[in-house]
Amino acid sequence: MSLFDLTGRLAVVTGARRGIGLAMAVALAEAGADVIGVSAQLEDDPQVGRLVTATGRSFEGRRCDFTDRDAVLALGADLAEREPDIVINNAGTIRRQPAADHALELWDEVIGVNLSAPFALTQALARPMLERGSGKVVFTASLLSFQGGINVPGYAASKSGIAGLTKALANEWAPHGVNVNAIAPGYIATDNTQALQDDPDRSRSILERIPAGRWGRASDLAGATVFLASAASDYVDGVVLPVDGGWLGR
């Protein structure tokens, strides 16, 4: 299984404090990578750090407010000096409000956190990758990279943008040995989907459409994350990989 071995690699994972990001960070550590976990509200002794170090790999926690452009740029400049091998852009937010009443402040926040901040961070961290001719960049997209959703216009727009950004960066960077791809999680039981899980009608309608017959778990993203971060995906570029229990195939 050497294709999936990440021993000696350094991975930056944003949104690593909980949910999907935590699962991604632990999966990379289990495959051998050391991890720098980034979150706006990372605790002094975060769960993700304990889980990563339990695998025998090192963990470093960093705080960053992804609504703050200057903070993102400072983080990018700092981490670029570490020359990470893997960048997982998972940090994100969602704001639910009907489109006709959707506050522009909420729109700006979601687009900033979900699209502009990942681009700015990736731009900085990709420069040393391009210089050395190797690296892996993985974005967290969404089913709403393919669909429109309901009451989440900013989120849908940002995640559609992530799909386009993934392809645009892959077109430019694949010739230089840097693979850029994205994972599109399905309906995963996390804090971001709690409102849907708590709504009996929406939850039932969602489950009825998922061929796998269940909500996803954050751990369901582990395999795809390691695949796209490893040598196993060296000829995979510009892909938005759904991990959705069959939702898009229904």
Side-chain angles (χ1 to χ4, degrees), residues 25-194:
V26 173
L28 294 172
E30 289 175 340
D34 297 316
V35 175
I36 299 174
V38 184
S39 177
Q41 299 177 331
L42 200 67
E43 304 91 345
D44 290 336
D45 182 24
Q47 180 187 18
V48 60
R50 296 193 298 272
L51 292 173
V52 165
T53 56
T55 71
R57 310 313 307 172
S58 70
F59 176 83
E60 178 182 335
R62 301 293 296 272
R63 294 187 183 92
C64 182
D65 179 356
F66 289 95
T67 67
D68 183 336
R69 174 68 58 82
D70 290 339
V72 173
L73 293 176
L75 177 70
D78 186 23
L79 294 184
E81 295 183 357
R82 308 285 294 278
E83 298 190 4
D85 304 283
I86 302 159
V87 178
I88 308 292
N89 286 290
N90 174 71
T93 191
I94 190 168
R95 294 291 182 261
R96 301 182 186 278
Q97 198 170 57
D101 303 314
H102 202 81
L104 291 180
E105 292 80 6
L106 298 183
W107 170 275
D108 290 342
E109 176 192 357
V110 172
I111 295 295
V113 172
N114 291 3
L115 185 56
S116 299
F119 174 65
L121 183 61
T122 299
Q123 190 179 51
L125 299 187
R127 290 185 182 119
M129 293 181 175
L130 294 168
E131 290 176 3
R132 70 172 179 262
S134 67
K136 301 284 185 175
V137 176
V138 181
F139 292 96
T140 297
S142 168
L143 291 183
L144 299 195
S145 298
F146 307 95
Q147 301 173 332
I150 299 171
N151 295 331
V152 287
Y155 186 82
S158 68
K159 292 302 185 178
S160 293
I162 285 294
L165 179 61
T166 297
K167 296 170 187 177
L169 297 183
N171 288 340
E172 292 192 37
W173 295 350
H176 304 286
V178 177
N179 301 96
V180 184
N181 295 286
I183 298 172
Y187 284 92
I188 309 297
T190 65
D191 291 347
N192 270 359
T193 60
Q194 194 62 55

